Amino acid sequence: MNARDAAELRHAVVRLALQFTSLIVVLLALMGVLLYSIVAAGTAEALDKSLVNTTRVDSPHDAPPGVFVAVFHEGDLSVSPAMPVGLPDIAAMNRVDATQSDEKSGFSAGGRNYEVLTTIHDDRVVQAAVDTHEGRESLDRLIWAIVVAVAAAALVSAATSVWMARRAMRPMVESLALQRRFVADASHELRTPLTLLSTRAQMLHRKLLGPGLTPEKVSEEVERIVQDSKLLTGILEDLLISADPREAVDHTPVDVLGVARHAVAVAAPQAQKQSIELGVVSAAGPVIVQGSPVALLRVFTALISNALDHAITTVTVDVGVVGRDVRILVSDDGPGFTPGTEGRAFERFSSTRAGAGTASGSRHYGLGLALVAEIVALHHGKVVVKSASPGSGATVVVVLPLLGKGKADVHR
């Protein structure tokens, strides 16, 4: 995933996380408001019941804690001990006595708030006052609890939504990146061979129309067109695999040694044409891994083709078993890699410059080695370039898990 795709993924994840978190916060806020309304209504109802029940006590001294009672009967006024300053409200008691109607009001004194109910009970004017401080504190604590819960839920939902959104969107982003990469690869890889093929066809057409045409010349030009077509076919195969390397991998036992020998046999004519010695060094017996024979053949052909492009006299394919892994080495005696640039060999269309005095100034890579890295990764293996001094040749090492780990395998 390149920087642009990573940035787009981050932006999409942030947007989804914000939307999901906002939805959670709104839902929890609505639930908090509903809960507060229910508790506040219950508190008010309990306060009203406490006032009504208190007005029915026989004596102000019988009032429960936090509730104060004043009783006016036949000209006598009796009040609860520690009655707050300003209570009882004599004016309210006189009005109720005159109108015979209940009166409810609020009262503040000494920094406290009271709910006051004045009523007639058993021919007595009774006034009850309840301190609302405790109920108000309970509601305040409920508000803080709701705020803290919503904030905590927002943090948790934000973290969770980022994680879930990233997991959900990554396959989509990777798929889109794969499509864009396929288009870029196709444009880059097909332009040169198509142009070359068209040029050779035009040259052949002109020679067919010109004087001095011989069968040998026609055969030579047709052979060049055939070779260009083979090159184009190989590029198309690479592009089709790179469009989605996962489609090239199945789960069957594969003899890596047999695949290596097949790839060497296919590349033998090209090696002979370049006067390069190409051979296989291997362990005794089959070397089995779990994977795709087609994809693994592509790994060998790409590595051998790259080695033939840079070799001077020799290319060697070595297949063996080291511990519980299959080790594949494809070596050539070409210019090698400049130390510190080995990792770039598996980037698309990269090049690494060789040291001075070598047979070639640089090593160039198209889609092949990048495709090798992808296929090896899908086979749960790894591929590296073996460090060597410039000019002493290059070795690409592929390590794949051996099928049936734990058995007595051949060791090199």
Side-chain angles (χ1 to χ4, degrees):
M1 185 183 301
N2 57 32
R4 180 180 177 183
D5 293 333
E8 290 179 354
L9 175 60
R10 286 195 299 270
H11 293 160
V13 167
V14 169
R15 286 196 299 269
L16 287 177
L18 288 176
Q19 293 173 359
F20 180 75
T21 303
S22 300
L23 177 61
I24 294 297
V25 169
V26 170
L27 291 177
L28 289 178
L30 291 176
M31 292 178 62
V33 171
L34 179 61
L35 177 62
Y36 179 84
S37 301
I38 293 174
V39 173
T43 301
E45 184 179 356
L47 184 64
D48 291 340
K49 287 183 178 180
S50 178
L51 286 171
V52 172
N53 292 334
T54 303
T55 59
R56 296 173 182 173
V57 298
D58 295 330
S59 170
H61 297 280
D62 298 334
V67 182
F68 306 96
V69 179
V71 178
F72 182 75
H73 181 61
E74 295 179 353
D76 292 330
L77 178 65
S78 57
V79 299
S80 298
M83 177 71 77
V85 178
L87 289 176
D89 187 350
I90 302 300
M93 297 181 74
N94 291 332
R95 288 193 299 271
V96 170
D97 187 30
T99 61
Q100 299 293 303
S101 298
D102 295 348
E103 184 174 315
K104 188 176 181 181
S105 63
F107 178 78
S108 297
R112 298 276 186 166
N113 295 320
Y114 300 90
E115 193 75 18
V116 180
L117 174 63
T118 307
T119 185
I120 299 293
H121 181 68
D122 294 338
D123 297 328
R124 300 177 303 169
V125 179
V126 182
Q127 187 174 85
V130 177
D131 191 346
T132 61
H133 179 72
E134 183 177 350
R136 175 52 58 188
E137 282 189 339
S138 297
L139 291 176
D140 289 343
R141 287 194 295 269
L142 178 61
I143 291 176
W144 277 110
I146 292 173
V147 171
V148 171
V150 170
L155 292 176
V156 173
S157 63
T160 304
S161 60
V162 167
W163 178 74
M164 294 178 62
R166 187 177 294 276
R167 284 178 58 89
M169 295 194 64
R170 183 174 291 276
M172 182 187 306
V173 173
E174 290 178 351
S175 177
L176 293 175
L178 194 63
Q179 292 181 9
R180 287 196 293 268
R181 191 172 65 189
F182 175 78
V183 173
D185 291 347
S187 175
H188 186 282
E189 288 284 283
L190 294 178
R191 183 179 295 112
T192 299
L194 285 175
T195 301
L196 185 60
L197 186 63
S198 175
T199 301
R200 292 195 188 282
Q202 293 177 23
M203 292 175 61
L204 177 60
H205 178 69
R206 286 197 297 268
K207 289 182 179 181
L208 288 173
L209 297 179
L213 182 66
T214 64
E216 291 77 12
K217 291 183 179 181
V218 173
S219 177
E220 181 180 352
E221 294 298 328
V222 171
E223 177 64 22
R224 290 177 179 177
I225 293 177
V226 170
Q227 293 301 322
D228 292 340
S229 300
K230 289 182 179 179
L231 175 62
L232 185 59
T233 300
I235 292 174
L236 287 174
E237 290 175 353
D238 280 353
L239 289 172
L240 291 175
I241 295 176
S242 69
D244 190 354
R246 296 168 296 182
E247 295 296 329
V249 178
D250 51 22
H251 300 281
T252 59
V254 181
D255 180 9
V256 178
L257 182 55
V259 175
R261 288 170 175 164
H262 183 194
V264 168
V266 171
Q270 181 64 29
Q272 292 175 1
K273 186 176 181 180
Q274 297 178 218
S275 300
I276 294 176
E277 181 181 353
L278 173 62
V280 178
V281 178
S282 66
V287 180
I288 308 300
V289 300
Q290 189 84 5
S292 165
V294 175
L296 291 175
L297 178 62
R298 194 60 205 145
V299 168
F300 279 103
T301 56
L303 294 178
I304 293 172
S305 175
N306 177 72
L308 289 174
D309 287 343
H310 303 94
I312 300 175
T313 61
T314 305
V315 172
T316 303
V317 179
D318 186 345
V319 179
V321 177
V322 178
R324 298 183 177 181
D325 295 314
V326 177
R327 188 185 66 176
I328 303 165
L329 296 89
V330 179
S331 307
D332 66 73
D333 59 350
F337 296 89
T338 301
T341 63
E342 296 90 342
R344 293 177 52 203
F346 304 104
E347 297 177 0
R348 278 168 157 71
F349 315 117
S350 66
S351 64
T352 59
R353 185 166 299 280
T358 58
S360 177
S362 61
R363 297 179 71 99
H364 300 277
Y365 313 99
L367 187 60
L369 292 189
L371 187 60
V372 166
E374 292 179 356
I375 294 176
V376 170
L378 290 172
H379 283 78
H380 309 289
K382 61 180 180 179
V383 56
V384 295
V385 171
K386 190 175 181 180
S387 298
S389 59
S392 62
T395 300
V396 180
V397 182
V398 176
V399 178
L400 298 173
L402 188 65
L403 183 62
K405 290 182 177 181
K407 297 181 180 179
D409 298 314
V410 178
H411 293 265
R412 291 180 60 83

